[in-house]
Amino acid sequence: MKDTKIITNNLKQMRKERGIKQKFVAEQLGISPNYYSQIENGHRQPQIEHLLKLRCIFSVSLDDIFFNNMIANRDKNYLGGN
């Protein structure tokens, strides 16, 4: 479940950084905005087909979706930050 939380946090962060609405992402995925909201809030797991489309929508790699915050936190800790 921890891995899902990382993924959903990364998706939410990427969407907000780009100023994209959940409704737009949902339309691109072919799902309802409510369904996408449930993915971002960790109530549903994204399907692999959604992850593949999300990487194109956000112009990122799957590594960014799965590990973005973990990598940032690891680098921050490595550099002596908190």
Side-chain angles (χ1 to χ4, degrees):
M1 193 58 110
K2 182 180 177 186
D3 293 336
T4 301
K5 187 69 171 167
I6 292 167
I7 294 167
T8 58
N9 284 341
N10 288 341
L11 291 173
K12 188 180 291 189
Q13 178 183 349
M14 289 178 203
R15 180 182 59 75
K16 287 184 175 185
E17 285 174 353
R18 289 159 178 76
I20 300 172
K21 301 282 187 190
Q22 284 184 338
K23 182 178 180 183
F24 174 81
V25 176
E27 288 171 355
Q28 299 301 305
L29 296 177
I31 59 177
S32 72
N34 184 51
Y35 189 104
Y36 184 71
S37 176
Q38 290 176 2
I39 291 173
E40 275 195 6
N41 290 316
H43 300 293
R44 289 185 183 253
Q45 292 186 349
Q47 297 176 7
I48 189 68
E49 64 194 46
H50 297 148
L51 293 169
L52 295 173
K53 288 181 183 179
L54 286 163
R55 111 188 127 153
C56 294
I57 293 167
F58 297 133
S59 299
V60 297
S61 69
L62 287 177
D63 282 345
D64 291 323
I65 293 173
F66 281 92
F67 305 111
N68 190 33
N69 284 341
M70 290 174 55
I71 292 169
N73 289 335
R74 183 199 67 209
D75 291 345
K76 189 172 161 184
N77 290 333
Y78 178 75
L79 297 172
N82 290 328

